[in-house]
Amino acid sequence: MSNKPSVLEEAQASTAQAEPPHEGEAIAVAKELAEAKKRRLPNNRQIGMGAAIGVGSAAIVAGLLYWRGGRKDRK
């Protein structure tokens, strides 16, 4: 048998030696993640614009579906 440690032992040793983040760094990272999450969320103006566009496009489609353009045989 060789004196070389197994791959599993090497992996455990490398993860055990990793230094945990300092308290100040962890707080900074948490604040940065919270700010990024806030930027990704849509605001009320964007939600209102989306609703207006959806209602408007539905009205256009309904108008096109029910339009009976220039027919002479109306009943």
Side-chain angles (χ1 to χ4, degrees):
M1 229 179 182
S2 67
N3 292 333
K4 186 176 179 184
S6 68
V7 176
L8 180 61
E9 291 173 1
E10 289 177 2
Q12 289 176 350
S14 65
T15 57
Q17 293 174 355
E19 184 178 328
H22 297 294
E23 191 171 313
E25 292 175 0
I27 293 172
V29 169
K31 286 181 181 179
E32 191 174 312
L33 288 174
E35 289 174 7
K37 184 178 179 183
K38 191 183 295 184
R39 284 192 303 261
R40 284 192 304 256
L41 294 176
N43 60 16
N44 290 337
R45 183 176 181 206
Q46 291 172 332
I47 292 172
M49 287 177 62
I53 291 170
V55 169
S57 62
I60 291 171
V61 169
L64 291 173
L65 286 174
Y66 292 110
W67 179 56
R68 305 183 73 169
R71 292 188 184 174
K72 293 183 180 182
D73 59 341
R74 294 189 185 184
K75 294 181 180 180

